[in-house]
């Protein structure tokens, strides 16, 4: 079993509902949606969204980890509840549709330091709960292709993209072939138009769980931040 600390909007937020239908699965309820739930979709939609569908709609704060032998799920939930209660909610000024390499995601319109600081606090606060990575998990990250800071993060924090290397993104696709990217951008621009170019409230901290390797991630707990 693995746990992860993610941001996702609340269960009943319109963005959560829209993204769940786009991805084909709701991480809160486990409900599966057919392609008909979103009307006409680009060819190969199910395949192009397979990876983010398994993880659920989210932005990674602390990447999936096995629990250290000295702690339990209850310990994790208790510390998460305390962390949320003393961490003030805040707002990203603008959410936009972005492209990171070959995949698409919703991202901040520009670097927003309060968001960077929040993510770093999550990584560091919950580090004592993380069991060390196995050699297999390190190899799976292909450290030879990472930058020096990313490799250092992988070995220290269990994930390459933390602290100065962190970039908030809420993934909407897997790898999209180069010849399909313009089409996909237009489809996503239209589908998520009501949520882009607008602020995004960072109002909660979610604990996701993967019951066994390869299983879909589901929301175990969604904790409102202070003053949300």
């Amino acid at each position: 079993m693995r746990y992860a600390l993610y941001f996702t909007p609340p269960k009943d937020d319109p963005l959560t509902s829209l993204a769940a239908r786009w991805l084909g699965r709701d991480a809160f309820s486990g409900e599966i949606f057919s392609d008909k739930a979103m009307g006409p979709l680009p060819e190969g939609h199910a395949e192009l969204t397979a990876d983010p569908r398994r993880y659920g709609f989210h932005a990674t704060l602390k990447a999936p980890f096995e629990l250290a032998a000295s702690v339990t799920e209850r310990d994790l939930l208790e510390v998460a509840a305390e962390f949320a209660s003393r961490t003030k909610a805040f707002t990203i000024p603008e959410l936009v549709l972005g492209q990171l390499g070959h995949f698409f995601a919703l991202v901040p319109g520009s670097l927003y330091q309060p968001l960077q600081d929040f993510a770093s606090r999550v990584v560091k606060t919950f580090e004592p709960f993380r069991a060390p990575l196995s050699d297999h998990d390190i190899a799976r990250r292909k450290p030879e292709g990472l930058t020096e800071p990313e490799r250092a993060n992988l070995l220290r924090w269990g994930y390459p993209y933390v602290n100065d290397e962190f970039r908030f993104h809420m993934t909407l696709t897997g790898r999209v072939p180069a010849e399909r990217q313009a089409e996909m951008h237009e489809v996503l621009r239209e589908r998520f138009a009501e949520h882009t170019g607008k602020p995004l409230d960072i109002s909660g901290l979610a604990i996701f769980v993967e019951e066994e390797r390869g299983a879909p991630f589901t929301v175990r707990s969604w904790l409102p931040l202070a003053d949300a």
Side-chain angles (χ1 to χ4, degrees), residues 32-127:
I32 303 296
F33 301 97
S34 72
D35 283 353
K36 294 179 181 178
M38 282 295 286
L41 290 168
E43 181 181 352
H45 168 265
E47 180 181 353
L48 292 172
T49 55
D51 285 345
R53 182 181 311 118
R54 184 172 84 84
Y55 286 89
F57 183 58
H58 76 281
T60 298
L61 298 171
K62 192 163 187 67
F65 58 91
E66 295 182 9
L67 284 180
S70 59
V71 297
T72 66
E73 178 184 290
R74 182 176 179 178
D75 296 328
L76 176 64
L77 293 173
E78 287 179 351
V79 171
E82 180 185 359
F83 177 91
S85 71
R86 56 184 172 82
T87 301
K88 286 191 175 182
F90 61 97
T91 300
I92 299 174
E94 183 185 27
L95 190 69
V96 301
L97 176 63
Q99 185 172 346
L100 292 80
H102 292 273
F103 68 91
F104 289 86
L106 297 174
V107 301
S110 60
L111 187 70
Y112 187 57
Q113 195 58 46
L115 176 60
Q116 299 296 113
D117 295 342
F118 170 68
S120 290
R121 283 186 59 213
V122 171
V123 167
K124 294 170 183 176
T125 298
F126 294 94
E127 180 63 9

Side-chain angles (χ1 to χ4, degrees), residues 111-217:
L111 187 70
Y112 187 57
Q113 195 58 46
L115 176 60
Q116 299 296 113
D117 295 342
F118 170 68
S120 290
R121 283 186 59 213
V122 171
V123 167
K124 294 170 183 176
T125 298
F126 294 94
E127 180 63 9
F129 290 90
R130 183 179 68 84
L133 290 180
S134 67
D135 290 343
H136 172 76
D137 283 332
I138 293 174
R140 190 172 61 85
R141 289 289 180 188
K142 297 181 172 59
E144 67 279 2
L146 300 174
T147 65
E148 186 174 340
E150 290 167 352
R151 283 195 298 274
N153 283 335
L154 177 63
L155 297 177
R156 174 63 183 86
W157 303 106
Y159 190 58
Y161 311 110
V162 299
N163 301 324
D164 290 344
E165 309 307 312
F166 172 75
R167 295 296 179 267
F168 179 98
H169 60 280
M170 307 188 77
T171 309
L172 299 174
T173 72
R175 291 179 62 87
V176 178
E179 65 273 14
R180 301 283 310 277
Q181 289 173 11
E183 172 198 6
M184 182 60 74
H185 184 277
E186 183 59 23
V187 169
L188 290 170
R189 184 195 65 78
E190 180 181 338
R191 295 298 173 95
F192 288 87
E194 291 187 7
H195 300 280
T196 54
K198 298 177 181 179
L200 175 68
D201 292 332
I202 304 298
S203 58
L205 178 67
I207 300 173
F208 278 53
V209 63
E210 179 193 43
E211 296 288 349
E212 58 184 21
R213 289 294 181 109
F217 280 78

